[in-house]
Amino acid sequence: MSKTAETPAQRALPGRKAQAARNDEIILSAAREVFLAEPKAPIAAVAERAGVGISALYRRYSSKDVLLRTLCYDGLRRYNAEAEAALQDSDDWQVLVDFLQRVVDADVHSLTVHLAGTFTPDDSILPEVMRSAELNEEIIRRARESGRLRDGVTTQDLGLILESCAAISLPDPQRAAKLRRRILALLIDGLAVPGELPGPPPAPNEFAHRWQPHGR
C-alpha cells in the first residue's frame, strides 16, 4: 500500500474528513506511480497499488479519465506553487535557478511527458493555466533584468528545459533525480552564455495539440 505523509491541513480536519483526505492522497500517489510506468494501465491497478477496493476508488473518481485529469491538474497546481515559492527570492537570477530546480525535483513534468493526450481536459483548469503563464512571464522578466539571461530565451523555452529533464527515467528514482539535476545544471549554464540561439523559439501553444485525447 502506498504511504504519504499527513499534511498540516489534513491534521486540522475532523476525523472522517481527515481520513478521506489521507485516502485521496494515497490514491493519487498510487495513480502517479501506476500511470507514469504505464499510461494504459487499468484503473484497477491503481486500486491494487493504493490498497483500496475498486468500489471505493470509483466513489471518489468515477472513471480513469477523471483520475488522470485530477492527477495532471494537481501537477499544474504544484508547478504554480513552486514558481510562487521561487519568486520570494530577492536575487532576480536565482529566482530562475530556484524555480527550475524546484520543478525538476518535484518531477511535475513527467506527468506532461507521459500523460498528455490520455484524458479529456476541461475548463476547470483554465485559472491555473493563466496563473502559470503569469508566473513564467515574471520569472523570465526578473531573470532578464538580472542581465545574465541569454538573448532570445522565452517563457516557452522553460517548458522544453523541464521536459528534457523529465525525460530522464530510470528504475532507480534517486539516480534519475541526480541525473536530472546534472543535466539541469548544464542547461542553466546555457541560459547564461552569450550567443544567438538557433531557429525561432517555440510559439505559444505550439504543443497544445498533444493534450487532445488520443486512443488509450
Side-chain angles (χ1 to χ4, degrees):
M1 180 174 177
S2 297
K3 294 183 179 180
T4 56
E6 188 179 62
T7 66
Q10 289 171 347
R11 289 194 294 269
L13 293 172
R16 295 184 67 179
K17 288 185 177 180
Q19 183 60 48
R22 285 193 293 271
N23 289 343
D24 200 44
E25 286 298 319
I26 289 169
I27 290 171
L28 288 178
S29 177
R32 179 185 174 90
E33 294 173 8
V34 168
F35 292 136
L36 286 185
E38 177 46 73
K40 294 182 180 180
I43 197 169
V46 177
E48 182 178 358
R49 180 70 62 89
V52 301
I54 189 68
S55 59
L57 192 152
Y58 273 120
R59 281 196 298 272
R60 181 64 184 88
Y61 300 101
S62 59
S63 68
K64 180 180 176 180
D65 198 72
V66 171
L67 181 54
L68 286 167
R69 185 163 59 239
T70 302
L71 192 62
C72 281
Y73 287 8
D74 280 357
L76 180 56
R77 295 185 187 98
R78 175 69 183 275
Y79 177 95
N80 288 347
E82 298 296 353
E84 288 169 348
L87 281 165
Q88 299 305 307
D89 200 300
S90 60
D91 183 317
D92 289 339
W93 177 254
Q94 195 60 38
V95 164
L96 175 60
V97 174
D98 286 350
F99 162 72
L100 291 171
Q101 290 175 344
R102 283 173 174 273
V103 176
V104 167
D105 288 348
D107 195 20
V108 170
H109 277 68
S110 284
L111 296 171
T112 299
V113 170
H114 289 84
L115 302 184
T118 63
F119 64 93
T120 305
D122 63 20
D123 291 342
S124 67
I125 197 59
L126 289 180
E128 294 293 340
V129 171
M130 295 175 64
R131 179 58 177 157
S132 176
E134 293 171 355
L135 292 166
N136 288 341
E137 290 288 350
E138 179 63 11
I139 288 167
I140 288 295
R141 183 192 69 78
R142 289 185 56 176
R144 187 166 289 119
E145 286 188 353
S146 75
R148 297 180 61 184
L149 184 65
R150 185 173 185 168
D151 290 341
V153 175
T154 71
T155 57
Q156 285 72 36
D157 288 312
L158 296 179
L160 294 181
I161 291 170
L162 293 167
E163 289 188 29
S164 296
C165 293
I168 299 172
S169 180
L170 293 171
D172 181 349
Q174 292 184 339
R175 178 59 178 155
K178 290 178 180 178
L179 289 177
R180 287 171 179 169
R181 270 297 195 111
R182 178 182 175 88
I183 294 303
L184 179 60
L186 294 172
L187 294 171
I188 288 172
D189 284 348
L191 290 173
V193 300
E196 184 175 348
L197 288 166
N205 298 319
E206 186 168 356
F207 296 98
H209 67 279
R210 64 185 171 177
W211 289 102
Q212 297 301 313
H214 50 65
R216 54 185 186 270

